């Protein structure tokens, strides 16, 4: 999976999660910029990514992601 | 996107979730849309799909739709449970329940219950689920504590729970469901933990034991996540990361299963559990095909792993029968060939007499399932159909969506856990009556035979030698009467539902007249098969309104409604009541009694305002002509 594939998957997941087809994530998107992407839906998002890709984030990672690009990078590293 | 992993592999997969969801959302009629969404809910859904489906349901808003019951459920928790709500609602929808959920403030269950100004009080829950973690319960018990000190600490916890349960019931008349404590504790000593009374795992086990005993004595229902997590492994249920991040005790991937477990209990409480296990024969009860392989050729019993696997499945079916599940057979075979296996194969655990309805022929299985339901006099939605053949399963699901059809694994060794984990036959009580139920239903089939040999209906009814016993709805009748009121869709002119506690209150109110009827015949005691609730109009105490009247479909066509009305008129006349009022509110399922009240001599009341096809009826008791029936009365 390329980083762009992962980003596209993230967009799909967040659209499904928030029932909002207008969302398109970029590498620079921050969570606060996406309506309704609150802390509960952040955990739900992380859980959905873990389920879809069979990966597992460390607690330290989850607290430190600055933007979507950081999550993509970490996901990509775990998939390698 | 790949199918999300799920623990619920008895549900069939849905190849195009998005397409189906879109198709459902395009339906404008809310009833049809909900039915389509409920159909999607019959499939194996991942965490994310469950959320999407739930959002689609939520968009319909609060509504009353025929065929679906509504429940207001409050969850009071000491961990984060918001991510479980969609799963609970979807799993309830799978069972025809539309659930409105209120989640109490995190860790505030005591305050919520005790404070009359809390949001919980405004919500007026009909069911309350207490989901508490073991952490706070066992905190503070030192590792050196003796058995007596441990018991004291645990009894204190259980006493507090008991007070909360009582408060919940007194305040809301709600059904209380207590979740067992999930054991996510790690070993401290290793194997020696089991010998240390205050080792965390021992404390939790003891707490669950004592709490369950208390729950049984308080009629509190259990949601046993402790047992479920033992089956799937605690790591499938508890994710340490999610706990540290968000105080989730149940991990998101386990949410759909958690929702299903909760829905089973709520559905069981409303009498919606399945009643009958319908079994295919070839490659289901035994290995091979009896028509091709012959009695010596089929694989069953000791000496072959496959034979033992099929034997284990038969044993499990027999266990279910012993607790009151009706067994039936539906097989594509020559009847004589199929029955011969039951009579002559030495390894068969199931005997022909264990099977209440036995159908082996070459007809379509969906048609045969209808025949089985008719012969046993139960609804199609009470059937679970087990067949190893995916084509037959798909065919039945397609034409009879109300029949539960587990996605049986290919390996016969996994048949039992598949059926067991699906939880179709969830119970909230176990009585002597339950264990005798299988025999009662076998008697239904005998009755059908009598009908076949009778010259006329009158002849048949006389031949049944029926008698009825009746009385007010008493404490001992509550469980069954509640089940009947919540389960009955056909003989139900008003389709009002009451919880056990609500019914107890109605029965205890001196101004009301409640009646329950038990019907016996020469084949069996049918048990409590009809219930009636009559309530006075506040302004006119001499007029009683038939608030609720239900009758089991098992006894349709036996004139019981006529005898019941005779009894009701007598009971009311004794109290000085002058007349009855009644409503018939049509639904998709109660058309069978559209003529009930006129047939009993009620006169139609013309209404100036039409109300959704509902009709109002009136009976002056002095004018009532007693109905003749073939039912004798047993005086108490």
């Amino acid at each position: 999976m390329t980083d762009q594939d992962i980003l596209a998957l993230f967009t799909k997941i967040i659209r499904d999660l928030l029932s909002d087809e207008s969302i398109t994530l970029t590498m620079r998107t921050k969570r606060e910029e996406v309506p309704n992407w609150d802390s509960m839906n952040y955990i739900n998002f992380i859980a959905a990514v873990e389920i879809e890709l069979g990966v597992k984030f460390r607690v330290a990672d989850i607290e430190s992601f600055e933007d979507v690009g950081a999550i993509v990078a970490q996901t990509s590293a775990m998939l390698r | 996107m790949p199918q999300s992993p799920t623990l619920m592999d008895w549900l069939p997969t849905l190849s195009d979730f998005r397409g189906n969801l879109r198709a459902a959302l395009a339906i404008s009629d809310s009833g049809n849309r909900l039915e389509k969404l409920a159909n999607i809910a019959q499939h194996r859904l991942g965490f994310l799909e469950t959320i999407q489906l739930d959002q689609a349901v939520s968009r319909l808003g609060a509504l009353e739709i025929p065929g679906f019951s509504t429940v207001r459920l409050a969850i009071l928790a000491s961990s984060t449970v918001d991510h479980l709500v969609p799963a609970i609602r979807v799993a309830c929808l799978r069972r025809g329940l539309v659930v409105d959920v209120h989640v109490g403030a995190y860790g505030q269950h005591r305050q919520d219950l005790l404070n009359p100004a809390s949001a919980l009080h405004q919500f007026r829950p009909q069911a309350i689920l207490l989901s508490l973690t073991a952490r706070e319960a066992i905190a503070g018990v030192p590792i050196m504590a003796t058995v007596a000190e441990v018991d004291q600490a645990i009894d204190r916890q259980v006493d507090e729970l008991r007070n909360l349960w009582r408060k919940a019931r007194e305040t809301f008349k709600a059904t209380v469901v207590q979740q067992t404590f999930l054991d996510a504790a790690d070993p401290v000593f290793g194997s020696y933990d089991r010998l240390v009374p205050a080792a965390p795992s021992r404390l939790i086990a003891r707490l669950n034991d004592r709490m369950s005993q208390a729950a049984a004595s308080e009629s509190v229902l259990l949601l046993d996540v402790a047992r479920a997590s033992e089956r799937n492994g605690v790591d499938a249920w508890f994710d340490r990361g999610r706990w540290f991040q968000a105080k989730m005790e149940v991990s998101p991937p386990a949410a759909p299963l958690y929702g299903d477990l909760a829905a089973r209990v709520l559905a069981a409480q409303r009498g919606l559990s399945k009643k009958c296990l319908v079994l295919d024969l070839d490659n289901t009860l035994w290995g091979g095909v009896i028509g091709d392989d012959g009695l010596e050729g089929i694989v069953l019993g000791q000496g072959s792993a496959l034979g033992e696997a099929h034997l284990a499945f038969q044993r499990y079916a027999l266990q279910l029968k012993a607790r009151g599940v009706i067994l039936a057979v539906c097989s594509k075979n020559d009847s004589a060939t199929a029955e011969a296996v039951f009579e002559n194969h030495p390894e068969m655990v199931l005997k022909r007499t264990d099977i209440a309805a036995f159908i082996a022929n070459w007809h379509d299985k969906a048609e045969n399932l209808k025949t089985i339901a008719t012969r046993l006099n139960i609804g199609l939605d009470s059937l679970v159909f087990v067949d190893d053949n995916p084509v037959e399963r798909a065919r039945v699901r397609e034409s009879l969506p109300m029949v539960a059809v587990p996605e049986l694994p290919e390996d016969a060794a996994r048949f039992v856990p598949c059926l067991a984990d699906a939880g179709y036959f969830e119970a909230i009580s176990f009585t002597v009556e339950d264990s005798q139920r299988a025999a009662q239903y076998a008697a239904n089939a005998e009755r059908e035979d009598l009908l076949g040999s009778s010259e006329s209906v009158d002849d048949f009814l006389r031949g049944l030698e029926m008698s009825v016993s009746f009385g007010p709805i008493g404490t001992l009748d509550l469980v069954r009467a509640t089940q009947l009121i919540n389960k009955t869709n056909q003989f139900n002119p008003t389709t009002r539902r009451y919880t056990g506690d609500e019914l107890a209150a109605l029965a205890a109110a001196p101004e009301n007249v409640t009646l329950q009827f038990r019907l016996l015949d020469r084949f069996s005691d049918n048990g409590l098969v009809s219930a009636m609730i009559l309530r006075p109009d506040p302004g006119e105490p001499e007029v009683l309104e038939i608030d609720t009247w239900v009758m089991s479909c098992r006894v349709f066509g036996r004139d019981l409604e006529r005898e019941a009305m005779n009894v009701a008129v007598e009971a009311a006349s004794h109290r000085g009541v002058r007349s009855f009022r009644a409503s018939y509110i049509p639904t998709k399922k109660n058309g069978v009694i559209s003529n009930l009240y006129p047939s009993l001599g009620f006169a139609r009341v013309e209404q100036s305002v039409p109300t959704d096809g509902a009709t109002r009826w009136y009976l002056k008791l002095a004018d009532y002509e007693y109905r003749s029936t073939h039912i004798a009365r047993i005086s108490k």
Side-chain angles (χ1 to χ4, degrees), chain B residues 28-97:
Chain B
S28 55
D29 177 76
S30 54
N32 292 341
R33 190 194 299 181
L34 190 61
E35 249 169 50
K36 173 72 182 165
L37 293 171
N39 183 269
I40 297 175
Q42 304 299 330
H43 296 84
R44 199 183 306 174
L45 304 175
F47 173 65
L48 200 50
E49 292 162 336
T50 301
I51 292 175
Q52 287 174 269
L53 180 59
D54 180 53
Q55 286 170 347
V57 176
S58 301
R59 251 172 272 160
L60 281 167
L63 32 82
E64 299 273 341
I65 288 181
F68 290 87
S69 306
T70 55
V71 186
R72 285 190 307 278
L73 169 70
I75 310 176
L76 308 182
S78 62
S79 65
T80 299
V81 294
D82 304 72
H83 63 300
L84 305 176
V85 172
I88 293 171
R89 279 199 292 241
V90 164
C92 283
L93 183 63
R94 192 173 286 144
R95 292 163 177 80
L97 294 174

Side-chain angles (χ1 to χ4, degrees), chain A residues 38-62:
Chain A
D38 55 15
S39 60
M40 178 51 78
N41 277 319
Y42 179 52
I43 298 295
N44 283 340
F45 170 80
I46 292 290
V49 171
E50 289 185 347
I51 292 167
E52 291 302 330
L53 296 176
V55 297
K56 200 85 190 108
F57 294 98
R58 295 172 299 193
V59 284
D61 296 332
I62 296 169

Side-chain angles (χ1 to χ4, degrees), chain A residues 2-79:
Chain A
T2 67
D3 286 4
Q4 283 308 314
D5 293 338
I6 295 173
L7 182 64
L9 176 66
F10 283 9
T11 295
K12 207 167 170 182
I13 288 175
I14 202 70
R15 284 178 177 181
D16 286 349
L17 192 61
L18 303 179
S19 285
D20 184 348
E21 292 295 310
S22 73
I23 303 171
T24 301
L25 300 178
T26 70
M27 293 295 186
R28 288 203 192 79
T29 307
K30 290 185 188 301
R31 185 157 65 80
E32 306 74 52
E33 298 162 14
V34 179
N36 301 320
W37 200 3
D38 55 15
S39 60
M40 178 51 78
N41 277 319
Y42 179 52
I43 298 295
N44 283 340
F45 170 80
I46 292 290
V49 171
E50 289 185 347
I51 292 167
E52 291 302 330
L53 296 176
V55 297
K56 200 85 190 108
F57 294 98
R58 295 172 299 193
V59 284
D61 296 332
I62 296 169
E63 280 178 325
S64 64
F65 292 135
E66 296 261 317
D67 56 15
V68 168
I71 312 177
V72 170
Q74 180 60 33
T75 305
S76 172
M78 287 191 291
L79 286 173

